[in-house]
């Protein structure tokens, strides 16, 4: 197995290669406005670091969001095009699930086994994308289970009884009804996207991983809209 993973759902443009056992190469660049320009060089870099060529890939994994329209589309379309060109499968993963895996796996012990916690990313328009997860237990090591969401809302609508991690936790500290936790990972790492797909597609798949179709998860309509009916100016 040689899996290429991509995610452009947030501020980071990220790519990784997973060899079926571990993440063999990863790269992330934080630049919320240059997803399309940075993604192809990132893919080339991680393939080179892993000593692989595109023809060696057996599958593609892509974070499907939620995320802003333009940036998210760059990663999903690239993943689908690569899968079509190489004749290999393309798997989608909720990007918030990948971020939750990073929080739960953090070596600093950010969350306790069985703890409910939330992850949030920037949705712009003074809103956040967010979801609530429950951390796995040491006796049954599984990825965090998503139990609520994904949602898009104003920060004050986030639940007040869980700690919130991710870039969203750094943006609105003035909202004091939310338990922000700005420590830990801020952006999705494609290595976590790859880990989730590797767990779900292994010879003995790990239960609880929610794979999705490689379609963008927008949660709201894009800013651009078709023009309406033209008004008559002549009688």
């Amino acid at each position: 197995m040689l899996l290429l993973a991509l995610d452009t759902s947030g501020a980071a443009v990220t790519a990784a290669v997973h060899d079926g056992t571990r993440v063999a190469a990863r790269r992330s660049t934080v630049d919320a406005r240059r997803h399309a320009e940075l993604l192809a060089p990132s893919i080339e870099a991680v393939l080179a670091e892993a000593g692989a060529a595109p023809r060696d890939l057996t599958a593609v994994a892509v974070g499907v969001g939620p995320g802003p329209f333009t940036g998210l589309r760059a990663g999903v379309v690239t993943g689908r095009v690569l899968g079509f060109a190489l004749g290999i499968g393309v798997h989608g993963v909720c990007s918030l699930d990948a971020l939750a895996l990073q929080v739960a796996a953090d070596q600093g012990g950010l969350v306790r086994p069985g703890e409910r916690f939330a992850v949030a990313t920037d949705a712009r328009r003074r809103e956040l994308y967010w979801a609530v997860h429950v951390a796995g237990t040491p006796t049954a090591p599984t990825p965090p289970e998503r139990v609520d969401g994904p949602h898009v809302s104003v920060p004050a609508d986030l639940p007040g009884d869980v700690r919130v991690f991710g870039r969203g936790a750094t943006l609105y500290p003035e909202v004091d009804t939310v338990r922000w936790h700005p420590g830990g990972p801020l952006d999705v790492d494609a290595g976590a996207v790859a880990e989730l797909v590797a767990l779900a597609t292994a010879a003995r798949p790990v239960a609880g991983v929610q794979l999705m179709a490689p379609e963008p998860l927008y949660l709201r309509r894009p800013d651009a809209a078709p023009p309406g009916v033209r008004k008559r100016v002549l009688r």
Side-chain angles (χ1 to χ4, degrees):
M1 173 184 181
L2 196 66
L3 174 72
L4 173 68
L6 315 171
D7 191 279
T8 57
S9 64
V13 179
T14 177
V17 172
H18 196 290
D19 64 9
T21 302
R22 63 181 183 87
V23 176
R26 62 188 354 132
R27 171 170 290 200
S28 293
T29 305
V30 177
D31 191 329
R33 299 186 181 277
R34 298 179 60 220
H35 292 86
E37 295 91 334
L38 294 171
L39 185 55
S42 297
I43 293 171
E44 292 179 3
V46 293
L47 286 173
E49 184 179 342
R55 64 178 178 274
D56 299 322
L57 296 172
T58 58
V60 177
V62 60
V64 299
F69 183 84
T70 304
L72 180 58
R73 182 177 57 183
V76 174
V77 170
T78 299
R80 292 176 60 175
V81 168
L82 282 171
F84 177 79
L86 297 171
I88 56 180
V90 182
H91 307 283
V93 170
C94 176
S95 300
L96 296 177
D97 290 353
L99 184 55
L101 177 62
Q102 294 166 229
V103 171
D106 188 274
Q107 296 299 310
L110 291 175
V111 294
R112 302 180 304 276
E115 178 182 351
R116 286 169 55 93
F117 67 97
V119 290
T121 58
D122 186 11
R124 303 174 187 172
R125 306 184 192 173
R126 295 193 64 80
E127 293 183 329
L128 296 174
Y129 296 116
W130 60 274
V132 176
H133 293 75
V134 176
T137 62
T139 55
T142 58
E145 178 187 2
R146 176 161 34 96
V147 294
D148 189 11
H151 302 288
V152 59
S153 73
V154 296
D157 287 347
L158 270 69
D161 59 344
V162 297
R163 292 186 295 160
V164 180
F165 297 84
R167 184 168 294 278
T170 70
L171 299 176
Y172 304 102
E174 71 277 8
V175 179
D176 58 10
T177 58
V178 179
R179 295 177 59 196
W180 305 116
H181 196 291
L186 298 182
D187 298 294
V188 177
D189 184 324
V193 175
E195 290 280 8
L196 289 174
V197 172
L199 290 172
T201 58
R204 294 184 177 181
V206 173
V209 181
Q210 302 180 46
L211 294 186
M212 305 174 68
E215 299 286 346
L217 184 61
Y218 291 129
L219 297 190
R220 66 185 182 198
R221 297 176 63 85
D223 293 329
V229 178
R230 293 185 179 182
K231 295 182 180 180
R232 295 179 60 88
V233 296
L234 299 177
R235 293 178 182 240

